[in-house]
Structures are given as C-alpha cells and as structure tokens.
Amino acid sequence: MTDSANKENMQFQTEVNQLLHLMIHSLYSNKEIFLRELISNGSDACDKLRFEAIGNDSLYENDGDLRVEVEFDSQAGTVTVRDNGIGMSRDEVVTNIGTIAKSGTKEFLSKLTGDQQKDSHLIGQFGVGFYSSFIVADKVTLTTRRAGTAASEGVRWESDAQSGYTLEQVDKTTRGTEIVLHLKEEEKLLADGWRLRNIIRQYSDHIPLPVNMRKQEEGKQTEEWETVNKANALWTRSKSDVKEEEYQEFYKHVSHDWEDALAWSHNRVEGKYEYTSLLYLPSKAPFDLFDRDHNHGLKLYVQRVFIMEDKENKLMPRYLRFVRGVLDSNDLPLNVSREILQGNKVIESMKSGSVKKILGLLENMAANEPEKYQKFWKEFGRVLKEGPGEDFSNREEIAKLLRFSSTLDDNTEQKVSLPDYIARMKEGQDKIYYITADTHTAAKNSPHLEVFRKKGIEVLLLSDRVDEWLVQHLMEFDGKSLQSVAKGDLDLSKLETEEDKQEQEKVEAEARNIVEHIKKVLAEKVEDVKVSHRLTSSPSCIVLGEHDMALYMQQLLKQAGHEMPVNKPVLEINPTHPLLKRMEAETDDDRFAEWSSVLLDQAILAEGGQLEDPAGFVHRLNSLMLAMA
C-alpha cells in the first residue's frame, strides 16, 4: 500500500536537467533504441542477482526463473519493462537514477557538439542510457525493491523530466524493477505487440535470458507468456551461426556503447582448461579511460552463469582495459569469489590466452587493415603504450604494435612502427633514436635534432605523457637499443667520415679556452661544459644523464608535490655559432658571466624546463641587448 505522506519532491542536478532537455528534444536518430537500453539494464540486474545469490540462495525468494517482461497498453498509451533481478534500495535509486552517471554527466555535456547524429554516440560512453526513456515518454514511473528486503521497502520514482522527480516508499511483493513509460502522444504507436516484438528481435535477440511478452490471439493479449528472443548465450553458439549484426548488438548490450565495435575475436579454447571468449575492440574510447577508478571490464561467466564484472583487471591487464566482452569457463566452481581469483591457475590461463588473442587481432589489423588500425591507435594508442612496462612476456609483440611520429615527415599523426624505422636505418646505425617532449612542436624543433637532420638520420618524436614511462621499460627492440638524443653521450662515429671526425677535433681544440671559462662561471649550476656533437645552428643545449627524467616530466611531478632529486645537467655549446664568437671576444668578466647564464637558461627553456629565476633571465637578456644597441 502506498503512503502518500512519505512522497518526497526532489530536484535534479542542473546538469541532469540539461541532459533531459537534450533527450526530450530527440537526440537519437533511432528512437526505438530506448527499449534495448531498458532490456539490457534488466538483464544486468538479473546477472547481479545470480552472483549475489551464489552465497545467499534466499535472495531468489522462491523465484529462480530470471527474466525480463515487456507489456503494453494501447488504450492507456504505456509500455512496461520489468525484471525480477536484484532491484534497488532507496539510496541506490537516488544514486543511480537521481544523479545520472555522477561525475560523467558534466563531462558528457562538455563534449556535446550540437550535431544530433554525433552527440547520440556519446550517450553510451557516459552511462546515461536509462534516460533514453524520455525520448518517447513524457512521464516515467519506476518501481523497485531490492532482493532480500521486506515487501514494504519498495521504492517508487516518478518524473516528467520537467519538474524534478518524486520518491516514495511503497509495497512491492516481488523483487526487481518495473518501468512504466507513459508515451508521448506522437509515440503511442509503440504500444503495439507486433512492433515491440520486432524491436526486441532486432536489438535484444542475443540477451542470454528470456525476454517475454504475452501471447496474442485474434489481436488480443492473453494471460500466457511467451519468449520473444532466442534467449541463449550468443557466445556459446558457433561462429558460423552468428551474423555480424548479432555480434554488434551483443557488443552494445555487454558494453553499453552506442557505436559499433571496431573488431572482435570469438574463440572456444579446449585443452587443459576449457573456456569460451568473445572479446571486442571498441571504436571509441570511453570518457573515463584514464580514470584510475575506471570500473568497466570483461564479464566473467561460469557455465553461462554470470559471476562478476572485472573491475580490478584480474581478467585483462590494465593496458588492455578498453577491451569488452565475456569469458565463460567450464573449469571454475560456481561459488568462485573475487578473493580467490587472484593467483587462480584457470584465471591466469584465461587471462594469458585472452591477451594473446587481442594482440593477435591487433597485429592482423595492423598488417591487413592499416587505416582501421590507425583509427584504433588514435583512440587507444596511449593506453597500449603502457603495455611494455606492465607485460614483460608480451613486450616484443606489444612493441610491434606501437606507432610514433618521426622526423621522416614531422607529421603529428603517429604512423611509424618500430619495424618501419629499422627498415629505414642508415648503414652503420645500430640504435633507434628518439626524443621526448611535452608537445609535438617542442619535440620536432628541439636543437638536439640538428645533427640528425643534417645527416638524414630519422628520430622518433615522442610527445605523449606516457612516452617517458614507455622508454624506461622498452630499452630495445629487435636487438636495437633505444637511445634518447637528449640524454647521455652521443656517439655517431660509425656514421661519420674521417673528415667529419678531424673537423670536430679541430673545433674542440680551438674552443678549449671558452669551454673552461664557461665551466668556471657556471660551476654551481652544471655538471660539465662540452663542445657539442649535436648542434649545427643553435648556440647551446643541455644534456641530461642517461637515466634522468626529461625536464618537462620533472616539472610536472614537482607541481604534483613530488620531491625530485637535484641533478645538474651538462651544457653543450656550439663554438661556431656567432653568439659564442661574440662571447670569445668579451673582455668584461661580468658581461661574460651574464652571457653564460643566458646560454644555460635558453637551453633549459628549449627542453621544456622551468627557470628558477625567470625575472633574472629577462633582466640579463634586456641588459645584454641594450649593450649591443
């Protein structure tokens, strides 16, 4: 019985009102998708009940026949979707329905373009599919009760998407959730048995539990229920029996994405352990891909019974956290718990096998569908770059899949693979050269590249934040070591002629005095001063130790509150530069010291570092320019 005295009127968040306005004004190009979303939510609720009931059978409340039911009333203009899954408590209703996707809502709204077709694809990335109900309904009533609670603890949520929502406690004898859509006048044609059946078969045929509707005889609904969908687990079927459209619809169900998957791998593994995997690569990255609390992953089933969603990367490593799909094992006990998954030999075997399937899928795509692979790389490349540091056993396979920009064309698009680079290496070149920087522009304009450009030696341009982490763990590939052009000593002797070497020795000998003079002036700021092998047109650059972190990364960590060790850089100078010639002629020691400090500060700025005394740098530069006027 409903107690109207306990009905509360509540307001949506501002962002939720914006989102509902968007929904009501026909964001989706295909309005029928609302039914897929509600059925998928009901199926998920049944999966969650199955898992919780493994340790507490009483949650079934003497009704173990899990299902989703769809009804309609053409006279009242309503469509009802109900499930007998886990249900929700009052607090869960407020959290899951009243606030919509929590922090994701603002992010979602910030990404809207105003193009309905494009914006509709964002919905699945932000977990707001329930609100697709308001595309076709001007009022939605949701009644729910969590399994295991008393009948009096039912909750009713109702909203017209205009004036907030009401919340009240009601009696509900059955567990689960019932959603009644009060259709808009222009959408009442949806309250039709034939049309609803077609929508279910088109979008929800793959749902691995029954979606039931009442039988119709002579145009009227009877009391008898019938299953409309195939109601079998799609992944258990033979690949040859599954159409591409069915794979795509199942992907949308399991991932709650609105776009098609980019590719998938469907395999039945037999041997020591038996399991089935259906693994998908999304075509778009979710908004929370780099959120450490990101909580989407593969779904684990045991003999077609849902056990858990992998939120802790036990079924797939973190660098492949974008993969969606299911793993279904025949060798795990039904009462397997999260606690014993870690270190479980069956799980480890499934995880290892699944990683190889995904890497194989990507390798095949890169080789045979390069444009498609570039689409994948644009969305997920930065995540894949985490792989060499996380997965030692597959490091070489992952490295083959990596893509970079390079000095070959200075293009921002990352298209160069390590095998491509090696195939173009100069005769005598035994290293893969790279430079890391905060931006692509900073990387391609670094003074460290000057000698490489002069000699036609390709250098990889690394400007993703993850790149500094990558090169710390990927130190070689195919027998060739990776070498930063901005760190450690540079040895290009194998690529130089005898004439080049003699010229360099002559320059070093002639510059001995100015090197010693600058070294004396900057003794407290630099480790050493040397004649550069790197520079051809810039006056100076700084060189870090081989294992030092790039200056821009040091700066980022400092800003985040991390203590960084103080490492003095090496200052390299180009004695042939007019500025150094000007310094050689300087007789005023104070003025020479100012020139030396400017050389160092310029080199630090060129590497993305931050000056300890920016005002002092500006003052010195102004003073020197005025003196030259």
Side-chain angles (χ1 to χ4, degrees), residues 136-183:
V136 298
D138 51 25
K139 184 172 75 171
V140 175
T141 304
L142 178 148
T143 308
T144 186
R145 176 173 68 80
R146 206 178 202 289
T149 61
S152 60
E153 293 187 38
V155 181
R156 179 165 294 149
W157 177 99
E158 189 169 85
S159 176
D160 60 4
Q162 301 291 332
S163 54
Y165 62 94
T166 62
L167 206 61
E168 60 183 312
Q169 187 171 334
V170 297
D171 286 344
K172 189 175 188 300
T173 56
T174 57
R175 68 169 190 272
T177 301
E178 177 181 276
I179 301 169
V180 180
L181 280 66
H182 304 267
L183 299 172

Side-chain angles (χ1 to χ4, degrees), residues 226-455:
E226 65 177 350
T227 299
V228 178
N229 65 328
K230 289 180 180 175
N232 59 6
L234 177 139
W235 64 87
T236 64
R237 293 159 55 188
S238 169
K239 286 192 285 188
S240 60
D241 293 337
V242 185
K243 297 177 182 177
E244 181 174 335
E245 310 89 76
E246 293 179 292
Y247 276 123
Q248 292 288 13
E249 285 306 323
F250 182 71
Y251 165 73
K252 291 170 185 174
H253 162 68
V254 79
S255 66
H256 294 284
D257 195 351
W258 289 68
E259 295 210 24
D260 285 346
L262 187 66
W264 58 87
S265 173
H266 185 186
N267 299 279
R268 176 166 179 79
V269 178
E270 297 178 337
K272 185 176 181 180
Y273 303 115
E274 291 189 6
Y275 64 92
T276 300
S277 65
L278 177 49
L279 310 172
Y280 289 93
L281 296 175
S283 56
K284 290 285 185 182
F287 80 99
D288 56 353
L289 185 62
F290 291 95
D291 183 353
R292 292 206 67 82
D293 296 325
H294 177 82
N295 60 0
H296 302 293
L298 299 182
K299 293 179 182 289
L300 175 64
Y301 287 76
V302 174
Q303 298 168 38
R304 294 180 296 283
V305 175
F306 175 75
I307 300 299
M308 61 174 282
E309 187 167 21
D310 183 24
K311 298 182 180 181
E312 300 170 9
N313 302 106
K314 292 176 178 177
L315 302 175
M316 191 66 71
R318 278 194 59 77
Y319 74 93
L320 294 178
R321 58 186 176 274
F322 49 83
V323 176
R324 298 289 179 266
V326 299
L327 290 174
D328 189 350
S329 170
N330 290 337
D331 296 303
L332 286 168
L334 275 173
N335 62 351
V336 67
S337 69
R338 290 177 173 87
E339 288 71 30
I340 67 170
L341 283 181
Q342 196 68 38
N344 184 289
K345 290 183 179 179
V346 179
I347 292 294
E348 289 301 318
S349 176
M350 292 167 66
K351 182 176 181 178
S352 175
S354 298
V355 169
K356 290 188 181 301
K357 289 295 181 186
I358 289 297
L359 295 180
L361 182 62
L362 289 172
E363 187 175 349
N364 183 64
M365 189 190 301
N368 300 313
E369 300 175 281
E371 290 185 7
K372 192 173 182 180
Y373 186 76
Q374 277 303 122
K375 183 178 179 182
F376 161 81
W377 183 259
K378 185 177 179 181
E379 296 293 325
F380 302 105
R382 285 181 297 163
V383 182
L384 198 62
K385 284 181 177 180
E386 298 172 12
E390 294 180 11
D391 188 353
F392 181 82
S393 62
N394 290 302
R395 185 176 296 179
E396 197 80 2
E397 287 75 10
I398 299 167
K400 291 177 185 176
L401 296 169
L402 302 180
R403 297 293 183 269
F404 306 95
S405 301
S406 88
T407 54
L408 182 69
D409 58 9
D410 285 341
N411 198 302
T412 56
E413 193 170 1
Q414 299 177 4
K415 287 185 173 182
V416 178
S417 70
L418 293 178
D420 289 340
Y421 180 98
I422 289 175
R424 291 193 292 265
M425 284 172 59
K426 293 283 185 181
E427 186 178 348
Q429 182 182 346
D430 59 356
K431 292 183 175 64
I432 298 171
Y433 293 106
Y434 70 88
I435 186 167
T436 59
D438 196 24
T439 65
H440 179 267
T441 301
K444 75 175 184 177
N445 292 328
S446 172
H448 290 96
L449 298 178
E450 291 174 3
V451 71
F452 292 90
R453 290 190 186 279
K454 180 181 178 181
K455 294 180 178 295

Side-chain angles (χ1 to χ4, degrees), residues 16-221:
V16 175
N17 279 325
Q18 290 176 265
L19 183 58
L20 290 175
H21 177 80
L22 189 67
M23 294 286 187
I24 292 165
H25 290 82
S26 302
L27 179 64
Y28 300 122
S29 56
N30 184 357
K31 297 180 179 182
E32 296 176 344
I33 290 176
F34 81 92
L35 189 56
R36 180 184 75 190
E37 289 301 296
L38 297 185
I39 291 174
S40 286
N41 289 345
S43 172
D44 287 347
C46 291
D47 278 346
K48 290 172 183 175
L49 175 64
R50 270 201 191 109
F51 174 70
E52 292 197 19
I54 290 171
N56 183 7
D57 193 66
S58 65
L59 292 177
Y60 281 125
E61 300 178 5
N62 298 317
D63 180 12
D65 182 20
L66 300 179
R67 60 198 178 276
V68 175
E69 295 175 348
V70 178
E71 287 191 278
F72 68 94
D73 185 329
S74 53
Q75 290 189 334
T78 62
V79 171
T80 300
V81 180
R82 84 172 58 84
D83 66 74
N84 62 344
I86 194 66
M88 290 181 282
S89 64
R90 183 189 183 282
D91 287 345
E92 288 171 325
V93 170
V94 172
T95 300
N96 298 331
I97 306 296
T99 57
I100 305 184
K102 303 166 199 160
S103 62
T105 309
K106 283 185 180 180
E107 181 78 11
F108 166 74
L109 291 165
S110 73
K111 290 184 179 289
L112 294 177
T113 65
D115 184 323
Q116 290 186 2
Q117 187 68 31
K118 291 181 180 177
D119 291 344
S120 66
H121 295 158
L122 290 170
I123 293 293
Q125 298 179 41
F126 292 87
V128 290
F130 166 77
Y131 280 84
S132 60
S133 304
F134 287 102
I135 298 171
V136 298
D138 51 25
K139 184 172 75 171
V140 175
T141 304
L142 178 148
T143 308
T144 186
R145 176 173 68 80
R146 206 178 202 289
T149 61
S152 60
E153 293 187 38
V155 181
R156 179 165 294 149
W157 177 99
E158 189 169 85
S159 176
D160 60 4
Q162 301 291 332
S163 54
Y165 62 94
T166 62
L167 206 61
E168 60 183 312
Q169 187 171 334
V170 297
D171 286 344
K172 189 175 188 300
T173 56
T174 57
R175 68 169 190 272
T177 301
E178 177 181 276
I179 301 169
V180 180
L181 280 66
H182 304 267
L183 299 172
K184 299 174 183 178
E185 192 63 39
E186 65 271 23
E187 305 296 346
K188 287 187 176 179
L189 290 176
L190 283 167
D192 174 81
W194 179 84
R195 187 169 181 186
L196 290 172
R197 278 173 166 78
N198 278 346
I199 295 172
I200 292 169
R201 290 184 181 120
Q202 181 177 356
Y203 294 113
S204 304
D205 212 33
H206 53 272
I207 300 292
L209 81 165
V211 179
N212 297 336
M213 290 186 68
R214 294 191 185 276
K215 280 187 176 180
Q216 288 189 277
E217 293 180 1
E218 298 179 359
K220 295 183 179 180
Q221 295 187 76

